[in-house]
Amino acid sequence: MTTKIKIDGTTYEVTVDDITPLLWVLRDHLNLTGTKFGCGVAQCGACTVLLDGKAVRSCITLLRDVGDKEVITIANTTDPILKKVQAAWVEEDVPQCGYCQSGQIMNATGLLKANSNPTEEEIVAEMNGNICRCGTYNRIKSAIKKINAGA
């Protein structure tokens, strides 16, 4: 089955079963490998992307569930909030190994799209479930707190 999917402002056509997880459409069929595979069961957050601005786990989001919604990945170069989050990550020197960071950044971007000035408690609650084996949680929290997405 051929399906059109809009990713980072570009429309692609893919010929895959509509029950294929979005993660595998991105990585295997479109060679967009910035979105990472972690656990495959939506528990680690490494595969997080935005679907119409909302953070979702692409490993369990089926292609048929994407429909005409826009997918934003870590590779997006035009989203202003994503750019702010990426800049804050650099300023706070967040990444260590870096593997989880695309998912962390996308989850933080989704949070800031929904709430441009979250409290520390809201940050912790929203980022819960994005696992960082290196333990950079305090730097992640500091980076998010620096951003006022409405500015």
Side-chain angles (χ1 to χ4, degrees):
M1 160 178 215
T2 300
T3 304
K4 288 185 180 182
I5 182 171
K6 188 174 182 183
I7 303 166
D8 296 328
T10 301
T11 301
Y12 297 89
E13 284 191 7
V14 292
T15 304
V16 297
D17 193 321
D18 70 349
I19 61 167
T20 303
L22 176 58
L23 176 64
W24 301 122
V25 172
L26 294 170
R27 293 184 61 80
D28 290 352
H29 298 278
L30 297 173
N31 201 33
L32 301 172
T33 58
T35 303
K36 302 301 180 199
F37 171 75
C39 66
V41 292
Q43 296 299 304
C44 73
C47 68
T48 303
V49 298
L50 301 183
L51 193 57
D52 274 354
K54 182 180 178 200
V56 299
R57 304 297 199 246
S58 64
C59 70
I60 63 164
T61 301
L62 304 180
L63 179 59
R64 70 175 174 213
D65 297 330
V66 174
D68 61 354
K69 298 173 184 144
E70 180 165 15
V71 177
I72 301 288
T73 73
I74 191 68
N76 185 288
T77 59
T78 60
D79 187 281
I81 297 174
L82 176 56
K83 284 181 172 184
K84 288 180 182 183
V85 173
Q86 291 169 329
W89 246 243
V90 171
E91 287 176 30
E92 291 296 310
D93 197 26
V94 173
Q96 285 188 24
C97 83
Y99 196 82
C100 72
Q101 294 307 307
S102 61
Q104 299 277 4
I105 288 169
M106 296 311 297
N107 203 55
T109 301
L111 164 64
L112 292 167
K113 283 181 176 288
N115 179 357
S116 65
N117 194 18
T119 65
E120 185 167 330
E121 293 78 19
E122 290 168 328
I123 293 168
V124 170
E126 187 63 30
M127 296 305 291
N128 186 28
N130 276 77
I131 297 170
C132 175
R133 288 186 174 199
C134 299
T136 64
Y137 300 112
N138 287 331
R139 284 189 257 166
I140 289 168
K141 187 171 50 177
S142 294
I144 296 169
K145 285 167 60 174
K146 282 184 126 175
I147 300 166
N148 179 348

